[in-house]
Amino acid sequence: MGTSVRGFWIDQECIDQDNEAEKQRAVQSIELESEFCIKSTDFRSKATKLCMEYRKDPELQHMCERILDRASKYNVQLLELDNEGKRTIRQSMSPIIFSNVGKRGMRDESDRLAVIANCLGYFVRLDSQRLEREAYSLSISMLALFLLNGEILMNGPDNSQSAIRSNIFNNLRSQSLRTFQTPDIDQKLTFIKSCRFAEVELLEQGVITSGHLWRLGRIVEDLGRTRPPQRGHDYQLSWYQRMRLGQLARHLGPGECGSRYGYIASAIDEYLDQDERWGDKDVTFSKFYKDLTAEEVVKAMMDDPRSPRLRLGALISQGDRTGTDPYSGIFIREAGHRWEKDETMSG
């Protein structure tokens, strides 16, 4: 009769045993009448849920934490409820990966930098051998690696100063941006992974990056006063989504609000024309992303009209000293919050 084995097994690795000889004996002692197959991703998801629940028990906390450090499913571990009570992910998995790699046993401590960079697909790499040879702090090197690859820290006045006194892993967990608003897709962590600063430089004053600055303008309300277009057909977007976007374009058009709003109204109409002509072509990334954005705009339009969530924005250009550039973007306020410095735009 085989020896009883206690522990979780993932990809033939026993999480709770460190002795290689014992693991081999355990594998040989297990007898199954027939082959039993479980998808690794499904098993890790269920194991993550189980450990997150059972770690509340003080007697099981240490074991559950060890399993989560070694084999957790991040898109399960990072789930939380948003202001509408829906399950979502609002933070990057990067701090957890930094922490998990930091707990692994390694011959050369500086190798952790390369392992972390590989796990997260970082483009900017550090010369770990040189850093070790010149006795640079590993913690500071990890922070530099984090920032140089565009990861975002929260550095507002409301953040606790105690984070400065914590170790690098706790610091990244507490200071990393955790207010991402991801679209309604399954690959939320992949989406957040793409939300990194580009072309980062570190200076004494802070982080320099390239991008766009927006000036928030008018809040869009009283959409109900603008008659929507007639019901049409489903294309890549549903007929309802197309109708509501058409209503928004009419509301923002020159006939309703003035010439400054005409650019974005025309852009919406052009997008709807593109959607109608798309046909059976494969959906490109650009079209997919536009459709996701359109879906979020329509959802925001469906909310309580007494608390409007849409606001127009204009790119800040070097030549625009008066703030009169045409509106070219629509921003969506998070549910449950209010806009600051309201500039209400109605029909």
Side-chain angles (χ1 to χ4, degrees):
M1 184 174 180
T3 305
S4 175
V5 179
R6 297 181 60 184
F8 289 93
W9 290 79
I10 297 177
D11 296 332
Q12 298 184 349
E13 178 184 7
C14 183
I15 300 301
D16 292 329
Q17 295 189 50
D18 297 322
N19 188 300
E20 190 65 30
E22 287 188 10
K23 287 198 291 185
Q24 292 298 324
R25 286 197 298 272
V27 172
Q28 295 171 4
S29 67
I30 296 176
E31 295 182 2
L32 298 176
E33 294 182 0
S34 59
E35 188 172 320
F36 185 61
C37 298
I38 302 176
K39 287 185 178 180
S40 176
T41 54
D42 293 342
F43 182 79
R44 289 173 60 198
S45 295
K46 299 298 183 182
T48 300
K49 292 179 182 178
L50 180 71
C51 291
M52 290 180 67
E53 189 64 31
Y54 273 89
R55 69 178 174 181
K56 300 174 185 177
D57 186 332
E59 295 184 2
L60 300 174
Q61 181 179 4
H62 178 67
M63 178 185 292
C64 290
E65 292 290 351
R66 286 189 63 194
I67 295 171
L68 290 174
D69 288 343
R70 298 283 296 275
S72 69
K73 192 74 171 167
Y74 298 130
N75 60 1
V76 176
Q77 189 175 0
L78 292 174
L79 278 175
E80 59 181 278
L81 296 179
D82 62 15
N83 292 326
E84 297 176 306
K86 299 177 182 178
R87 299 178 72 82
T88 188
I89 296 176
R90 297 166 58 88
Q91 56 185 304
S92 166
M93 62 182 173
S94 301
I96 294 183
I97 290 179
F98 269 78
S99 178
N100 289 347
V101 173
K103 296 174 183 177
R104 298 291 180 92
M106 291 190 181
R107 186 184 64 181
D108 297 322
E109 288 294 315
S110 59
D111 286 346
R112 300 186 193 279
L113 296 172
V115 173
I116 290 170
N118 288 335
C119 290
L120 291 169
Y122 282 166
F123 290 105
V124 178
R125 305 296 178 102
L126 301 180
D127 187 341
S128 57
Q129 293 182 350
R130 179 183 174 185
L131 292 172
E132 185 175 26
R133 186 169 59 250
E134 299 184 11
Y136 282 97
S137 164
L138 182 59
S139 295
I140 295 298
S141 299
M142 286 185 175
L143 179 60
L145 182 70
F146 187 85
L147 293 174
L148 285 170
N149 282 280
E151 303 279 10
I152 305 174
L153 293 178
M154 299 184 297
N155 60 351
D158 296 334
N159 293 321
S160 173
Q161 295 297 314
S162 62
I164 300 176
R165 297 188 292 271
S166 61
N167 63 46
I168 182 61
F169 306 118
N170 291 337
N171 180 278
L172 294 182
R173 288 289 292 270
S174 63
Q175 298 297 103
S176 178
L177 184 66
R178 50 183 180 273
T179 55
F180 287 102
Q181 296 186 49
T182 56
D184 189 14
I185 56 176
D186 293 333
Q187 298 81 19
K188 295 183 185 297
L189 286 176
T190 302
F191 178 87
I192 293 176
K193 189 177 178 180
S194 67
C195 299
R196 295 173 179 168
F197 289 143
E199 302 175 9
V200 172
E201 293 183 46
L202 298 183
L203 300 179
E204 290 185 10
Q205 295 83 355
V207 174
I208 293 182
T209 184
S210 61
H212 301 291
L213 287 177
W214 292 83
R215 177 184 289 110
L216 292 183
R218 297 285 186 172
I219 296 172
V220 182
E221 66 173 10
D222 287 343
L223 275 165
R225 294 173 55 181
T226 302
R227 189 177 67 180
Q230 294 181 349
R231 174 171 177 167
H233 300 284
D234 291 339
Y235 294 98
Q236 295 295 324
L237 299 177
S238 70
W239 70 267
Y240 179 78
Q241 291 171 328
R242 292 178 54 81
M243 180 190 71
R244 294 308 302 268
L245 291 173
Q247 181 185 22
L248 178 61
R250 284 187 178 185
H251 189 70
L252 299 177
E256 294 282 351
C257 304
S259 59
R260 192 179 179 196
Y261 306 90
Y263 178 87
I264 195 166
S266 298
I268 295 173
D269 285 333
E270 182 179 341
Y271 164 66
L272 292 175
D273 289 341
Q274 180 194 56
D275 180 70
E276 184 175 348
R277 298 192 308 268
W278 198 264
D280 296 329
K281 293 183 294 185
D282 292 337
V283 176
T284 62
F285 174 80
S286 174
K287 180 68 166 70
F288 173 72
Y289 193 81
K290 288 178 182 178
D291 291 349
L292 283 178
T293 304
E295 182 179 344
E296 295 300 320
V297 169
V298 171
K299 285 181 181 178
M301 293 171 65
M302 294 166 58
D303 283 352
D304 187 351
R306 295 169 297 180
S307 181
R309 295 180 57 196
L310 300 184
R311 189 168 185 175
L312 303 181
L315 282 170
I316 298 177
S317 61
Q318 292 182 347
D320 180 25
R321 303 295 182 183
T322 59
T324 57
D325 277 357
Y327 290 121
S328 55
I330 299 176
F331 290 79
I332 304 174
R333 173 185 54 76
E334 187 175 5
H337 293 257
R338 297 188 63 84
W339 292 112
E340 297 180 1
K341 297 180 180 179
D342 292 357
E343 294 182 49
T344 302
M345 185 209 78
S346 64

Short mmCIF file of all heavy atoms in Angstrom, two decimals, residues 33-74:
data_model
loop_
_atom_site.label_atom_id
_atom_site.label_comp_id
_atom_site.label_asym_id
_atom_site.label_seq_id
_atom_site.Cartn_x
_atom_site.Cartn_y
_atom_site.Cartn_z
N GLU A 33 -6.11 4.15 -10.92
CA GLU A 33 -6.69 3.12 -11.78
C GLU A 33 -6.71 3.56 -13.23
O GLU A 33 -6.62 2.75 -14.14
CB GLU A 33 -8.10 2.80 -11.30
CG GLU A 33 -8.14 2.15 -9.92
CD GLU A 33 -9.55 1.80 -9.51
OE1 GLU A 33 -10.48 2.07 -10.31
OE2 GLU A 33 -9.75 1.26 -8.41
N SER A 34 -6.88 4.85 -13.47
CA SER A 34 -6.87 5.36 -14.84
C SER A 34 -6.27 6.76 -14.83
O SER A 34 -6.11 7.37 -13.78
CB SER A 34 -8.29 5.40 -15.41
OG SER A 34 -9.12 6.23 -14.62
N GLU A 35 -5.93 7.23 -16.00
CA GLU A 35 -5.29 8.54 -16.09
C GLU A 35 -6.28 9.64 -15.74
O GLU A 35 -7.44 9.63 -16.16
CB GLU A 35 -4.77 8.75 -17.51
CG GLU A 35 -3.92 10.00 -17.65
CD GLU A 35 -3.27 10.07 -19.01
OE1 GLU A 35 -2.80 9.03 -19.50
OE2 GLU A 35 -3.23 11.17 -19.58
N PHE A 36 -5.82 10.59 -14.95
CA PHE A 36 -6.67 11.68 -14.47
C PHE A 36 -6.04 12.99 -14.91
O PHE A 36 -4.93 13.33 -14.49
CB PHE A 36 -6.76 11.61 -12.94
CG PHE A 36 -7.69 12.63 -12.35
CD1 PHE A 36 -9.04 12.63 -12.68
CD2 PHE A 36 -7.23 13.57 -11.45
CE1 PHE A 36 -9.90 13.55 -12.12
CE2 PHE A 36 -8.08 14.50 -10.90
CZ PHE A 36 -9.42 14.49 -11.23
N CYS A 37 -6.72 13.72 -15.80
CA CYS A 37 -6.15 14.93 -16.39
C CYS A 37 -6.92 16.16 -15.93
O CYS A 37 -8.15 16.18 -15.94
CB CYS A 37 -6.18 14.86 -17.91
SG CYS A 37 -5.20 13.52 -18.60
N ILE A 38 -6.18 17.17 -15.52
CA ILE A 38 -6.76 18.46 -15.13
C ILE A 38 -5.96 19.55 -15.82
O ILE A 38 -4.73 19.52 -15.82
CB ILE A 38 -6.70 18.68 -13.61
CG1 ILE A 38 -7.43 17.56 -12.87
CG2 ILE A 38 -7.30 20.03 -13.23
CD1 ILE A 38 -7.33 17.66 -11.36
N LYS A 39 -6.64 20.52 -16.40
CA LYS A 39 -5.94 21.65 -16.99
C LYS A 39 -5.22 22.43 -15.90
O LYS A 39 -5.80 22.76 -14.87
CB LYS A 39 -6.92 22.56 -17.72
CG LYS A 39 -7.46 22.00 -19.03
CD LYS A 39 -8.32 23.03 -19.74
CE LYS A 39 -8.83 22.49 -21.07
NZ LYS A 39 -9.68 23.50 -21.76
N SER A 40 -3.96 22.73 -16.15
CA SER A 40 -3.16 23.44 -15.15
C SER A 40 -3.78 24.78 -14.79
O SER A 40 -3.82 25.17 -13.62
CB SER A 40 -1.73 23.65 -15.68
OG SER A 40 -0.97 24.42 -14.78
N THR A 41 -4.30 25.53 -15.79
CA THR A 41 -4.88 26.84 -15.51
C THR A 41 -6.13 26.72 -14.64
O THR A 41 -6.33 27.52 -13.72
CB THR A 41 -5.23 27.56 -16.81
OG1 THR A 41 -6.07 26.71 -17.62
CG2 THR A 41 -3.98 27.91 -17.59
N ASP A 42 -6.96 25.70 -14.92
CA ASP A 42 -8.16 25.51 -14.10
C ASP A 42 -7.79 25.12 -12.67
O ASP A 42 -8.40 25.60 -11.71
CB ASP A 42 -9.05 24.42 -14.72
CG ASP A 42 -9.64 24.84 -16.06
OD1 ASP A 42 -9.66 26.05 -16.34
OD2 ASP A 42 -10.08 23.95 -16.82
N PHE A 43 -6.80 24.25 -12.55
CA PHE A 43 -6.38 23.81 -11.22
C PHE A 43 -5.84 24.97 -10.40
O PHE A 43 -6.16 25.14 -9.23
CB PHE A 43 -5.33 22.71 -11.35
CG PHE A 43 -4.88 22.16 -10.02
CD1 PHE A 43 -5.65 21.25 -9.32
CD2 PHE A 43 -3.68 22.58 -9.46
CE1 PHE A 43 -5.25 20.76 -8.10
CE2 PHE A 43 -3.27 22.09 -8.23
CZ PHE A 43 -4.05 21.17 -7.55
N ARG A 44 -5.02 25.81 -11.04
CA ARG A 44 -4.44 26.95 -10.33
C ARG A 44 -5.52 27.95 -9.92
O ARG A 44 -5.45 28.55 -8.85
CB ARG A 44 -3.39 27.63 -11.20
CG ARG A 44 -2.11 26.81 -11.36
CD ARG A 44 -1.19 27.45 -12.36
NE ARG A 44 -0.80 28.79 -11.97
CZ ARG A 44 -0.28 29.69 -12.79
NH1 ARG A 44 -0.12 29.39 -14.07
NH2 ARG A 44 0.07 30.88 -12.36
N SER A 45 -6.53 28.13 -10.77
CA SER A 45 -7.62 29.04 -10.42
C SER A 45 -8.36 28.55 -9.19
O SER A 45 -8.63 29.32 -8.25
CB SER A 45 -8.60 29.18 -11.60
OG SER A 45 -7.98 29.79 -12.71
N LYS A 46 -8.70 27.26 -9.17
CA LYS A 46 -9.42 26.71 -8.03
C LYS A 46 -8.55 26.70 -6.78
O LYS A 46 -9.03 27.00 -5.67
CB LYS A 46 -9.89 25.28 -8.35
CG LYS A 46 -10.85 25.18 -9.53
CD LYS A 46 -12.13 25.95 -9.28
CE LYS A 46 -13.10 25.77 -10.45
NZ LYS A 46 -14.36 26.55 -10.25
N ALA A 47 -7.26 26.36 -6.95
CA ALA A 47 -6.36 26.36 -5.80
C ALA A 47 -6.20 27.76 -5.22
O ALA A 47 -6.12 27.93 -4.00
CB ALA A 47 -5.00 25.79 -6.21
N THR A 48 -6.16 28.76 -6.09
CA THR A 48 -6.03 30.14 -5.62
C THR A 48 -7.25 30.55 -4.81
O THR A 48 -7.13 31.15 -3.73
CB THR A 48 -5.85 31.10 -6.82
OG1 THR A 48 -4.67 30.74 -7.54
CG2 THR A 48 -5.71 32.54 -6.34
N LYS A 49 -8.45 30.24 -5.32
CA LYS A 49 -9.67 30.56 -4.58
C LYS A 49 -9.68 29.85 -3.22
O LYS A 49 -10.06 30.44 -2.20
CB LYS A 49 -10.89 30.16 -5.40
CG LYS A 49 -11.10 30.99 -6.66
CD LYS A 49 -12.32 30.50 -7.43
CE LYS A 49 -12.52 31.29 -8.71
NZ LYS A 49 -13.70 30.79 -9.49
N LEU A 50 -9.29 28.57 -3.23
CA LEU A 50 -9.29 27.79 -1.99
C LEU A 50 -8.33 28.39 -0.97
O LEU A 50 -8.68 28.59 0.20
CB LEU A 50 -8.89 26.35 -2.31
CG LEU A 50 -8.83 25.39 -1.12
CD1 LEU A 50 -10.23 25.08 -0.61
CD2 LEU A 50 -8.11 24.09 -1.51
N CYS A 51 -7.11 28.72 -1.42
CA CYS A 51 -6.11 29.24 -0.49
C CYS A 51 -6.46 30.64 0.01
O CYS A 51 -6.19 30.97 1.17
CB CYS A 51 -4.74 29.26 -1.16
SG CYS A 51 -4.05 27.62 -1.46
N MET A 52 -7.06 31.46 -0.84
CA MET A 52 -7.44 32.80 -0.40
C MET A 52 -8.52 32.74 0.68
O MET A 52 -8.58 33.60 1.56
CB MET A 52 -7.94 33.61 -1.60
CG MET A 52 -6.84 33.99 -2.58
SD MET A 52 -7.43 34.96 -3.98
CE MET A 52 -7.92 36.48 -3.17
N GLU A 53 -9.35 31.71 0.62
CA GLU A 53 -10.39 31.55 1.64
C GLU A 53 -9.82 30.94 2.92
O GLU A 53 -10.10 31.42 4.03
CB GLU A 53 -11.51 30.68 1.08
CG GLU A 53 -12.75 30.62 1.95
CD GLU A 53 -13.45 31.96 2.10
OE1 GLU A 53 -13.39 32.76 1.15
OE2 GLU A 53 -14.04 32.20 3.18
N TYR A 54 -9.00 29.90 2.77
CA TYR A 54 -8.52 29.18 3.95
C TYR A 54 -7.37 29.89 4.66
O TYR A 54 -7.06 29.55 5.81
CB TYR A 54 -8.10 27.76 3.56
CG TYR A 54 -9.25 26.79 3.60
CD1 TYR A 54 -10.05 26.59 2.48
CD2 TYR A 54 -9.56 26.09 4.76
CE1 TYR A 54 -11.12 25.72 2.50
CE2 TYR A 54 -10.63 25.21 4.80
CZ TYR A 54 -11.40 25.03 3.67
OH TYR A 54 -12.47 24.18 3.70
N ARG A 55 -6.73 30.87 4.02
CA ARG A 55 -5.66 31.56 4.73
C ARG A 55 -6.20 32.47 5.83
O ARG A 55 -5.43 33.01 6.63
CB ARG A 55 -4.83 32.39 3.74
CG ARG A 55 -5.53 33.57 3.14
CD ARG A 55 -4.60 34.34 2.22
NE ARG A 55 -5.28 35.42 1.52
CZ ARG A 55 -4.68 36.23 0.64
NH1 ARG A 55 -3.40 36.07 0.38
NH2 ARG A 55 -5.36 37.19 0.05
N LYS A 56 -7.51 32.62 5.90
CA LYS A 56 -8.11 33.37 7.00
C LYS A 56 -7.98 32.60 8.31
O LYS A 56 -8.08 33.18 9.39
CB LYS A 56 -9.59 33.65 6.70
CG LYS A 56 -9.82 34.47 5.44
CD LYS A 56 -11.30 34.59 5.11
CE LYS A 56 -11.52 35.32 3.80
NZ LYS A 56 -12.97 35.37 3.43
N ASP A 57 -7.77 31.28 8.21
CA ASP A 57 -7.55 30.45 9.39
C ASP A 57 -6.08 30.57 9.80
O ASP A 57 -5.19 30.24 9.01
CB ASP A 57 -7.89 28.99 9.05
CG ASP A 57 -7.83 28.08 10.27
OD1 ASP A 57 -7.05 28.37 11.21
OD2 ASP A 57 -8.54 27.06 10.27
N PRO A 58 -5.78 31.03 11.02
CA PRO A 58 -4.38 31.21 11.44
C PRO A 58 -3.54 29.95 11.30
O PRO A 58 -2.35 30.02 11.00
CB PRO A 58 -4.50 31.64 12.91
CG PRO A 58 -5.87 32.25 13.01
CD PRO A 58 -6.73 31.46 12.06
N GLU A 59 -4.14 28.78 11.51
CA GLU A 59 -3.39 27.53 11.42
C GLU A 59 -3.00 27.19 9.98
O GLU A 59 -2.02 26.48 9.75
CB GLU A 59 -4.19 26.39 12.03
CG GLU A 59 -4.43 26.54 13.53
CD GLU A 59 -5.16 25.34 14.10
OE1 GLU A 59 -5.43 24.39 13.32
OE2 GLU A 59 -5.45 25.34 15.31
N LEU A 60 -3.77 27.66 9.03
CA LEU A 60 -3.51 27.34 7.62
C LEU A 60 -2.90 28.51 6.85
O LEU A 60 -2.55 28.35 5.67
CB LEU A 60 -4.82 26.92 6.93
CG LEU A 60 -5.52 25.69 7.52
CD1 LEU A 60 -6.86 25.48 6.83
CD2 LEU A 60 -4.65 24.46 7.39
N GLN A 61 -2.78 29.64 7.49
CA GLN A 61 -2.35 30.85 6.77
C GLN A 61 -0.98 30.68 6.13
O GLN A 61 -0.79 31.01 4.96
CB GLN A 61 -2.33 32.04 7.73
CG GLN A 61 -1.91 33.34 7.04
CD GLN A 61 -1.92 34.52 8.00
OE1 GLN A 61 -2.15 34.37 9.20
NE2 GLN A 61 -1.65 35.71 7.47
N HIS A 62 -0.02 30.15 6.88
CA HIS A 62 1.35 30.03 6.35
C HIS A 62 1.39 29.12 5.12
O HIS A 62 2.00 29.45 4.10
CB HIS A 62 2.28 29.51 7.43
CG HIS A 62 3.70 29.32 6.96
ND1 HIS A 62 4.51 30.38 6.61
CD2 HIS A 62 4.43 28.19 6.76
CE1 HIS A 62 5.69 29.92 6.22
NE2 HIS A 62 5.66 28.60 6.29
N MET A 63 0.72 27.97 5.21
CA MET A 63 0.72 27.03 4.08
C MET A 63 0.04 27.66 2.86
O MET A 63 0.54 27.54 1.73
CB MET A 63 0.00 25.74 4.46
CG MET A 63 -0.09 24.73 3.32
SD MET A 63 -1.05 23.27 3.74
CE MET A 63 0.03 22.51 4.95
N CYS A 64 -1.08 28.32 3.08
CA CYS A 64 -1.80 28.94 1.96
C CYS A 64 -0.97 30.05 1.32
O CYS A 64 -0.96 30.20 0.09
CB CYS A 64 -3.14 29.48 2.44
SG CYS A 64 -4.34 28.19 2.87
N GLU A 65 -0.28 30.84 2.14
CA GLU A 65 0.55 31.91 1.60
C GLU A 65 1.69 31.34 0.76
O GLU A 65 2.05 31.90 -0.28
CB GLU A 65 1.12 32.77 2.73
CG GLU A 65 0.09 33.59 3.49
CD GLU A 65 -0.49 34.72 2.66
OE1 GLU A 65 0.04 34.98 1.56
OE2 GLU A 65 -1.47 35.35 3.10
N ARG A 66 2.26 30.22 1.19
CA ARG A 66 3.33 29.59 0.42
C ARG A 66 2.83 29.13 -0.94
O ARG A 66 3.50 29.28 -1.96
CB ARG A 66 3.90 28.39 1.19
CG ARG A 66 4.77 28.75 2.37
CD ARG A 66 5.45 27.51 2.91
NE ARG A 66 6.35 26.92 1.92
CZ ARG A 66 6.87 25.70 2.01
NH1 ARG A 66 6.54 24.93 3.04
NH2 ARG A 66 7.68 25.25 1.10
N ILE A 67 1.64 28.57 -0.96
CA ILE A 67 1.07 28.10 -2.23
C ILE A 67 0.79 29.29 -3.15
O ILE A 67 1.09 29.25 -4.34
CB ILE A 67 -0.20 27.28 -1.98
CG1 ILE A 67 0.13 26.01 -1.20
CG2 ILE A 67 -0.89 26.93 -3.29
CD1 ILE A 67 -1.08 25.25 -0.72
N LEU A 68 0.22 30.35 -2.59
CA LEU A 68 -0.07 31.53 -3.40
C LEU A 68 1.20 32.17 -3.94
O LEU A 68 1.23 32.69 -5.05
CB LEU A 68 -0.86 32.54 -2.57
CG LEU A 68 -2.30 32.15 -2.22
CD1 LEU A 68 -2.92 33.16 -1.26
CD2 LEU A 68 -3.16 32.02 -3.48
N ASP A 69 2.27 32.12 -3.14
CA ASP A 69 3.55 32.68 -3.61
C ASP A 69 4.12 31.88 -4.77
O ASP A 69 4.81 32.43 -5.64
CB ASP A 69 4.57 32.69 -2.46
CG ASP A 69 4.25 33.74 -1.41
OD1 ASP A 69 3.45 34.64 -1.70
OD2 ASP A 69 4.80 33.64 -0.29
N ARG A 70 3.84 30.59 -4.81
CA ARG A 70 4.45 29.73 -5.81
C ARG A 70 3.57 29.48 -7.03
O ARG A 70 4.09 29.28 -8.13
CB ARG A 70 4.80 28.37 -5.17
CG ARG A 70 5.80 28.43 -4.03
CD ARG A 70 7.21 28.62 -4.51
NE ARG A 70 7.67 27.49 -5.29
CZ ARG A 70 8.19 26.38 -4.79
NH1 ARG A 70 8.28 26.23 -3.48
NH2 ARG A 70 8.62 25.42 -5.59
N ALA A 71 2.27 29.45 -6.85
CA ALA A 71 1.43 28.95 -7.95
C ALA A 71 0.08 29.64 -8.05
O ALA A 71 -0.88 29.04 -8.53
CB ALA A 71 1.22 27.45 -7.78
N SER A 72 -0.02 30.88 -7.62
CA SER A 72 -1.33 31.54 -7.66
C SER A 72 -1.69 31.94 -9.09
O SER A 72 -0.83 32.11 -9.96
CB SER A 72 -1.33 32.78 -6.77
OG SER A 72 -0.50 33.78 -7.31
N LYS A 73 -2.97 32.10 -9.33
CA LYS A 73 -3.49 32.61 -10.59
C LYS A 73 -3.80 34.08 -10.36
O LYS A 73 -4.73 34.44 -9.64
CB LYS A 73 -4.75 31.83 -10.97
CG LYS A 73 -5.23 32.07 -12.39
CD LYS A 73 -4.36 31.39 -13.41
CE LYS A 73 -5.01 31.48 -14.79
NZ LYS A 73 -4.09 31.12 -15.86
N TYR A 74 -3.02 34.96 -10.98
CA TYR A 74 -3.10 36.38 -10.65
C TYR A 74 -4.45 36.98 -11.02
O TYR A 74 -4.94 37.87 -10.32
CB TYR A 74 -1.98 37.15 -11.36
CG TYR A 74 -0.60 36.72 -10.94
CD1 TYR A 74 0.37 36.41 -11.88
CD2 TYR A 74 -0.27 36.60 -9.60
CE1 TYR A 74 1.64 36.00 -11.49
CE2 TYR A 74 0.99 36.19 -9.20
CZ TYR A 74 1.95 35.89 -10.15
OH TYR A 74 3.20 35.49 -9.77
#
